[in-house]
Amino acid sequence: MSADTIFGKIIRREIPADIVYEDELCLAFRDITPQAPTHVLVIPKKPIPKLADASAEDKELLGHMLLMVKSLAEQLGIAEDGYRVVINAGTDGGQTVFHLHMHLLGGRSLQWPPG
Ligand code: DGP
């Protein structure tokens, strides 16, 4: 059993979030500290703490999330110019909330490499 996080509270509507999409498997909402004009987080409703905790049984879920990111980029008007999809995986990866999430960032030209 994984520990509850702030994202679990957002899924259960215990705290507010600017939700942009939801289906039976996933939720997408705007990041509270946006790093780009468009910064949305896509999370599974299943509480997988980090990418290293995902397993073969999550294959369909992970593919679903990635396709959701693609659709959201189109919906949010950043698909044509381009965008970045990031998963911070574990402490050295910069992960601070231990509920798996994909960052969708766009609306400006992004630098590489990240810090
Ligand atoms: P990461 O560093 O990859 O674990 O990213 C966590 C992100 O979650 C970070 O960009 C800020 C965002 N975040 C943290 N708390 C909240 C919250 O309460 N609401 C929203 N919308 N975003 C949050």
Side-chain angles (χ1 to χ4, degrees), residues 20-21 28 40 42 67-77 104:
V20 295
Y21 182 82
V40 167
V42 174
L67 289 174
M68 188 199 289
V69 167
K70 178 200 143 166
S71 300
L72 281 167
E74 290 164 2
Q75 185 186 309
L76 297 170
L104 168 61

Side-chain angles (χ1 to χ4, degrees), residues 6-7 29-33 41 88 94-97 101 103:
I6 198 94
F7 292 175
F29 52 92
R30 293 189 191 275
D31 196 293
I32 205 166
T33 52
L41 302 173
N88 294 328
Q95 186 172 2
T96 57
V97 178
H101 49 282
H103 295 256

Side-chain angles (χ1 to χ4, degrees), residues 2-46:
S2 58
D4 193 24
T5 67
I6 198 94
F7 292 175
K9 295 185 198 315
I10 289 174
I11 291 169
R12 296 191 303 273
R13 307 298 203 270
E14 290 169 12
I15 61 166
D18 185 355
I19 293 170
V20 295
Y21 182 82
E22 179 172 24
D23 64 21
E24 70 284 3
L25 294 176
C26 297
L27 189 68
F29 52 92
R30 293 189 191 275
D31 196 293
I32 205 166
T33 52
Q35 302 302 313
T38 298
H39 187 172
V40 167
L41 302 173
V42 174
I43 69 171
K45 289 187 174 173
K46 178 179 176 181

